[in-house]
Each structure stands twice: as structure tokens, then as C-alpha cells.
Amino acid sequence: MSTARPSTAPLNPLRALFPPRNYATRFQHVIEQMPSAAWVVVPRTGQFITINSRATALSGWTREELLKQALAEFILEPEALHAFHALQPGNVRQLMNVPIRAYGDQPILVDIRLSAFEDGGETITLAQAAPAEERQTLEMEKTRQAHLIHHLHLILELFDAPTAETLPLALERVAGAFSADAGGLYRTLPETGELRLEVGHNLPRTIPLSLSVEQSAPLKTPLAWSSTQRADNVLAQAFRAAGWANLVAQPLGKAPTTMGVLFVAYQSGSPPPTAAAPYLEVVARQFMQLIRQIARHARLLDAQRLTYTLTNQLTAIYAQVNEGVLLVNAAGAVDELNQAAAQMLDYRAEDVIGLQVEEVLAADEILTRVVRAALGEPAVPGEKEGQVHRRNGEALPVLLRVQPLPPSAGGCVVVIGDLSRERADELKRAQLDHLAYIGQSTAAFAHEVRAPLNNISMGVQFLAARIPEDDPLQPALAKIQAEASRLSDLMNNMLAWTKPIEPKLQPTDLRPVLKRLMSRWSAKLQQRNIIRALHVPTECPSVLADADLLERVFINLIENAIQAMPTGGHLTVTVQATDRGPQGAFLEIKVADSGNGIPEEHRRRIFDPYFTTRADGTGLGLAICKRIVTVHRGALSVESFPGAGTIFTVALPAQLPPAAPPTEPSE
């Protein structure tokens, strides 16, 4: 509703500011240059003095229509109208969200800046207006840019742990920083130059997983596309097909050697920040560095895994190597040694690492020169036999092989071969050769002596038969006869020891054999005050054996048990079946006595030939027993408990009955 114009002539206070000639034209030119809508009014009368073209464009009224209106008709908010009247000359005031009446009586919100000055006692007000929506848009843009700048550092935090799983998280943070609805990263395939979608965040299904070289060409330069533009590349076309509104893409690197493309996208109603393109360029550089860091980190992890694998393999190899191995650095200090070397030298690895190799080996002069030659210049490999000393000072015969390491690393590898067993084997072979020679000589001797010895025995018997029984020579002849018999037994044992044993193996049940032997010895056991006991299970597996040879073994063991109990005791024979795991089922026959036991120093040699503690013994009985049991693929062992007794155990492979075939169920 318009107010009435005053009846007096229009007030033109601006006349005083300009010369009378063309003053209105000059002032109009001034406000036309202002960047926003502007008008000049007299608040007291509400009269518009002049208006620029931006004010007419903002309100929709023509210049003439606005000049005919009063200020109260144009400013629709009383508080804002009051501000026009209350503003004193020389002051400035900002009004926000002021409704003004636009053409068609449709109000619009504007932000108005008021400045007042005085002219001829009259207050004049200059108003500059801009749509409030522009300010709101600008404030929103500033907020989004502040959010973007604030969140960019979150991407840099991912450099602390650059793994393949970092890329999806980095892309999610980029989308969040740009307030984008989706984001993606295409990577260039080196072998073809195509683009492959590496990671995506909230992407629509229309986005292609790969782009050919021709399709990816437009993406090798920065791209900013909106739905108001033509979609002239595959990626923009895919987002247009999904109904999205904006796309910002930035290549990683410069053509033609780009690493890929980073992009963010927006749905309708959520435009990108104004400075999205330059900020995305910065982020793209960060992504390039992140991708390189991920590749370097992956190579580092691969190297660490390879090192770990090789270290474990080397440790496993070291553990299987029987020879001692020392790694010596260029300074001559021990860097590493395997378990075999530690055991040879009687050191712990941590005790010698870092010490000079000469201190650890404590070798003789020959070996020391070999090691020094491998560490010298030029480095010379070497191999020598000599002696090193263990920590306790014990000398150890070794074969020392030294191999220099490449000059770039320096140092050498020292391999120690323990020759102590070889030396012992050589000594044992010499002993066995000596024993074989003695055996051959003994057999020949026994064979040659048997005939004269038999003649002597028969001659003594002939003489004893020719003289009376009460003749004083009879005791001497009886003694000669006894000694001749003992020598004959000794010769027979010698021949039995040297003669190969060829058993006649057949399935044998040991129960009747043992029962017969125990019955045969019952009278002698009663005379010696020895209590006998035989424990044989009802079901006892048979053995593949020569019964006569095994009977000889048990006779010898029972005789030894009787001799171990001169004042009486207990003789126990026990039979039991046992399972020895991989070796299979065995039958064990234990012959136990309650004598005084066997001293440890004698027990270690009890099966050696010609070893005996009895004055009338030959030392071949137990040795022959062990040979007989061995040819039966069994074992003969002894346990002795001083003051309590001795147990001899004969273990023979058992013959188990064949398993019964499975019975079929009756119908």
C-alpha cells in the first residue's frame, strides 16, 4: 500500500554536494559503480532520491516504480525500518535477513549495510543490499573449506602405517574431508596402461571397474564436471547415468606417466566446495606419496619375511649339521656359531659371540695360521688337521676347514670336524683286528692242543687204573685228570667262540624248555639251599629259534646265578610278552638271582670275551651267550643291584598268531 506524496516540492539535498550542472547524472554514475544493489533515501520523509540498476534487478521493480514508493512500503520489517530512522550521521549499521517487497508483492530476504551522512541539516542514508542467500552460501562455503583444510591432516596420519589396507581408509577420509558422497581411485596398469578401480567408497553401480587407454585419456588432466554440462568422458557419463550432479577428478602425476586418477563425486543438492579442484590436486600428491610408501613398506615386509625365513632355514640347517660352524667377521670376532660348535667347545653361544676367534678355538699353531690366512689379504682358504681345546682345557682332535667370505663383507667361515670318534673308531678297528688275529691264533692253538691233551687225559686214566686205589699217587693223578678236563673244556669253548654259529631256526615254544631245565637243576638247587621259581604265562607266543642253542644260553645263565649265591637264595625265571613299538612284539626271559650283584666296573665288560672274575673261569660263557642271542635277532642285557642281586634279560622276537579273518554278519 503506497503512502501519499508530500505536497511540497521534492527535497534535493544532493544539490549542495555537486555543482548545479549535471549533479544528478554524476551521482547516479557513482552508485551505478557499486558492486551491490544501492539506493539513497531521506529517512525522515521516506523518499527515494536515487537507485542503481542492481537495486532494480534485485527487487524486480523499475526505477520509476521504486522512486514512487515510500521507504515504509519497501522495507517490510519494522525493526529494520526503525534502524533507517535511528541511524545518526557518520555511523554505519549492518542489517541481516531483512525482508523487502519485490515485484509481485513477493518478499525477498536481503542483507543491508546502512551508512548515514548529513546535508544541510538533513540526514541522508545510503543503503547497500545483497541477497541473504549469497551470504549464507558464502558462509557455508567458508565452513566447508575450513572443514576441508582441517581434515586434510588426517590423511597424513596414515603414513605411519602404510599398508594395502590403508588405501580404503585414506579414500574414506578424503571423501569426508571434501564432504563428498562418494570417492574412488583408479590405478594405472603398467603392462597395458589401462585404469583399474583400486578402491571405491559409496560408488554407484554404474561406475566401470576398468577403463581402456582410450577411455582413460580424458582423465589424465584435471576434471570438474556438473550435471549442467555435457558428459564427454566415460566417468562423467557413468555418474550422469546414476543421477549424480558433480564430479571432481585429479590425475596422480602428469601425463603420460600418471599413476592413476583420484576423484570425488556429489549427488544432487550437495555441490562440491568452490576450491575442490586445487585441494584435490594437493591430496592427489599425498596419495602418490602414500602409494609409494605402501609399495616401499610392502618391499620392506617382504625383505623382513625373507630374512626371517632364511634365518630359520639357516638355523635349521645349522641344527642338522654335525660339524661345528663359526661365522667370523672381518675384525676376527665370532658373529655366530651353531649348536654343534657350542657342544664341541663346551661354550654357550652368548658367551663367545664378540670374542676373537683365536680365543674361542684355542687352537694349535698350525690351525691358527690357517685361520689367519683366511682373514688376511689376500684371503686364502685352508684345510688342516690339528687340535683345539675345549673350555675345560681338554684337547680335541679336529679337521679345520676355513673359507673366506666375499671381500665386500670380509671375514670367513670356520668349519670344525670332530675327529675324536674317528680316532676312537680307528683304535677300535685296530683292537678288533687284533682280536681277530688272536681268535684265529687261538683256534689254531686249540685245535693243535686238543689231540695231545686227549692223549694226556687217556694216559692219566690208564695209569690210575693200573695202580691200587689207596696208592699215594691216586690224588695226584686225579688232580692231573681234573686239570686236563678243565683244559679240554677251555679248548672247546675257544673253538665254539671262534666257530661261526649257524642256528637251525624253527618255531619254538620256550615253556617246556624252561620247565625241563628247572627240573634238571632242582636237586642241585636244593643242595645249595636255593629256592627256585618259574613264572610262565598260560598263553605265551613262540619264537623262531634253535632250541639247543637257546638251552645252552639258559644253562649258562642259571649256572652263573647259582655261583652268585654260594650260601643260598632265590632263583626266579620269568617269561613275559612285551611290545617294543617300531621293533614289534618281543618275548622277554628274565633270570634273576638274589646274590651280591656285579660291580659297575665289571658289569661294563661282562660280555667281553676272556673277561672273568673266577679263578677257574674262561671268560667265554657270557660272550658266547650274547653271540647266540644276537644271531637270533635278539638282545641280552644285564641289570645289577649291589647287595640285592642281578637280572639277565633275554629278548627274542615273538611270533604272533595270524589275525583271524573278520566274520561276516549272519543274515
Side-chain angles (χ1 to χ4, degrees):
M1 181 175 180
S2 301
T3 57
R5 300 286 183 177
S7 58
T8 58
L11 180 63
N12 291 311
L14 294 176
R15 293 179 181 272
L17 299 177
F18 299 96
R21 184 180 181 182
N22 295 329
Y23 77 94
T25 302
R26 295 179 181 177
F27 186 73
Q28 185 66 36
H29 178 74
V30 170
I31 66 172
E32 284 293 345
Q33 303 306 312
M34 291 183 176
S36 58
W39 62 85
V40 179
V41 298
V42 180
R44 182 179 61 80
T45 63
Q47 176 188 0
F48 283 88
I49 298 176
T50 185
I51 301 167
N52 68 0
S53 58
R54 288 184 176 82
T56 62
L58 175 65
S59 65
W61 301 101
T62 65
R63 190 186 306 272
E64 290 74 15
E65 288 173 336
L66 277 175
L67 289 174
K68 292 178 181 179
Q69 294 188 37
L71 182 63
E73 295 176 312
F74 188 64
I75 303 298
L76 301 180
E77 184 182 80
E79 292 184 5
L81 187 61
H82 176 73
F84 274 84
H85 291 281
L87 189 64
Q88 297 299 317
N91 293 331
V92 177
R93 184 170 180 181
Q94 187 75 30
L95 305 178
M96 313 295 284
N97 296 322
V98 177
I100 63 174
R101 188 161 66 92
Y103 181 80
D105 292 335
Q106 293 297 325
I108 60 175
L109 295 177
V110 297
D111 296 335
I112 303 176
R113 184 177 186 276
L114 302 179
S115 57
F117 58 91
E118 183 180 356
D119 179 50
E122 186 71 58
T123 299
I124 308 299
T125 301
L126 171 64
Q128 301 177 68
E133 184 180 356
E134 292 182 3
R135 172 184 54 80
Q136 294 170 354
T137 302
L138 182 60
E139 290 177 351
M140 183 182 299
E141 181 63 28
K142 289 181 179 180
T143 301
R144 296 179 72 179
Q145 289 194 17
H147 171 81
L148 175 60
I149 295 172
H150 177 70
H151 284 77
L152 283 181
H153 75 279
L154 297 178
I155 302 174
L156 298 176
E157 293 177 354
L158 300 177
F159 280 69
D160 294 337
T163 64
E165 293 75 17
T166 306
L167 277 181
L169 180 58
L171 185 63
E172 183 179 345
R173 292 187 178 182
V174 168
F178 281 82
S179 302
D181 297 306
L185 172 67
Y186 280 102
R187 289 284 299 277
T188 303
L189 298 177
E191 57 274 11
T192 62
E194 297 179 349
L195 289 180
R196 182 189 64 191
L197 186 64
E198 180 100 354
V199 232
H201 174 67
N202 292 338
L203 292 176
R205 294 182 178 179
T206 56
I207 301 304
L209 298 180
S210 62
L211 300 176
S212 66
V213 176
E214 294 76 13
Q215 291 172 331
S216 61
L219 301 178
K220 293 187 177 180
T221 57
L223 169 67
W225 170 84
S226 68
S227 57
T228 60
Q229 299 173 332
R230 177 184 175 184
D232 56 358
N233 61 79
V234 175
L235 196 56
Q237 292 168 3
F239 278 107
R240 180 185 287 280
W244 288 49
N246 290 276
L247 168 69
V248 183
Q250 179 67 38
L252 303 183
K254 295 182 179 181
T257 58
T258 56
M259 296 174 57
V261 176
L262 177 67
F263 64 90
V264 290
Y266 299 82
Q267 297 188 23
S268 180
S270 57
T274 304
Y279 281 117
L280 190 62
E281 182 181 0
V282 174
V283 173
R285 294 197 190 100
Q286 294 178 346
F287 254 73
M288 291 174 60
Q289 294 301 322
L290 180 59
I291 291 172
R292 293 191 179 105
Q293 284 290 93
I294 291 173
R296 282 193 287 267
H297 189 260
R299 289 194 296 270
L300 175 62
L301 291 180
D302 289 342
Q304 290 176 343
R305 283 191 290 267
L306 179 60
T307 302
Y308 179 77
T309 301
L310 293 177
T311 301
N312 287 342
Q313 291 176 349
L314 187 59
T315 302
I317 292 172
Y318 276 171
Q320 298 301 319
V321 173
N322 293 327
E323 294 179 310
V325 179
L326 286 82
L327 295 181
V328 182
N329 60 29
V334 176
D335 281 344
E336 189 175 349
L337 75 163
N338 67 346
Q339 185 63 29
Q343 291 177 351
M344 286 183 191
L345 303 175
D346 196 21
Y347 283 107
R348 294 184 305 171
E350 55 268 27
D351 293 339
V352 299
I353 290 178
L355 297 180
Q356 289 295 307
V357 63
E358 296 179 3
E359 300 178 22
V360 177
L361 290 179
D364 56 29
E365 185 60 30
I366 296 176
L367 299 185
T368 301
R369 285 199 299 267
V370 173
V371 176
R372 288 174 182 169
L375 293 174
E377 298 216 6
V380 180
E383 179 177 334
K384 288 289 184 181
E385 290 187 10
Q387 285 187 343
V388 298
H389 290 82
R390 297 161 59 88
R391 183 172 60 176
N392 59 5
E394 177 186 351
L396 182 69
V398 297
L399 172 63
L400 202 70
R401 298 194 302 274
V402 185
Q403 180 64 43
L405 293 173
S408 58
C412 64
V413 178
V414 179
V415 180
I416 309 172
D418 186 356
L419 298 180
S420 57
R421 177 172 293 182
E422 183 177 334
R423 296 288 186 266
D425 290 343
E426 290 176 357
L427 180 60
K428 189 172 183 179
R429 282 194 297 270
Q431 292 174 345
L432 291 176
D433 292 342
H434 181 64
L435 288 176
Y437 174 75
I438 292 176
Q440 294 174 357
S441 302
T442 301
F445 172 76
H447 184 73
E448 293 296 330
V449 170
R450 284 181 69 184
L453 189 60
N454 287 335
N455 293 334
I456 293 173
S457 179
M458 293 176 62
V460 171
Q461 292 179 8
F462 178 78
L463 291 175
R466 290 290 184 272
I467 62 177
E469 292 182 1
D470 56 353
D471 192 284
L473 294 177
Q474 283 289 357
L477 292 175
K479 187 175 181 181
I480 294 173
Q481 181 65 35
E483 290 298 324
S485 297
R486 191 174 72 83
L487 287 175
S488 179
D489 291 341
L490 178 60
M491 294 301 106
N492 290 333
N493 285 337
M494 285 183 178
L495 289 174
W497 170 250
T498 58
K499 182 180 179 181
I501 299 176
E502 298 179 356
K504 299 178 181 180
L505 302 178
Q506 58 184 357
T508 303
D509 186 357
L510 292 181
R511 288 178 298 178
V513 174
L514 295 172
K515 289 179 180 179
R516 185 172 63 252
L517 287 177
M518 294 297 283
S519 297
R520 184 190 306 171
W521 289 88
S522 60
K524 189 173 183 178
L525 293 174
Q526 289 179 359
Q527 293 175 1
R528 298 291 186 92
N529 196 27
I530 296 175
I531 301 173
R532 62 186 176 90
L534 175 63
H535 302 290
V536 182
T538 304
E539 296 183 359
C540 181
S542 62
V543 295
L544 193 64
D546 186 325
D548 293 336
L549 290 177
L550 288 184
E551 184 173 337
R552 183 175 179 180
V553 171
F554 296 131
I555 289 174
N556 193 290
L557 296 179
I558 291 173
E559 286 183 346
N560 287 345
I562 293 173
Q563 293 172 3
M565 299 180 290
T567 60
H570 292 79
L571 172 65
T572 305
V573 178
T574 306
V575 180
Q576 63 180 9
T578 61
D579 186 1
R580 295 196 173 187
Q583 299 179 7
F586 273 73
L587 195 66
E588 290 185 351
I589 304 93
K590 296 180 180 291
V591 180
D593 64 66
S594 59
N596 292 327
I598 304 172
E600 178 65 22
E601 62 273 13
H602 294 166
R603 188 176 62 82
R604 289 196 298 266
R605 301 182 56 196
I606 198 169
F607 295 113
D608 292 346
Y610 307 112
F611 174 77
T612 181
T613 58
R614 289 161 37 195
D616 58 346
T618 63
L620 291 173
L622 288 176
I624 294 174
C625 289
K626 191 171 184 65
R627 283 189 63 196
I628 294 174
V629 175
T630 301
V631 298
H632 283 78
R633 297 185 179 180
L636 177 59
S637 59
V638 62
E639 296 177 276
S640 189
F641 309 94
T646 302
I647 301 174
F648 283 90
T649 302
V650 178
L652 300 170
Q655 280 195 315
L656 299 178
T663 58
E664 297 183 359
S666 60
E667 296 183 357

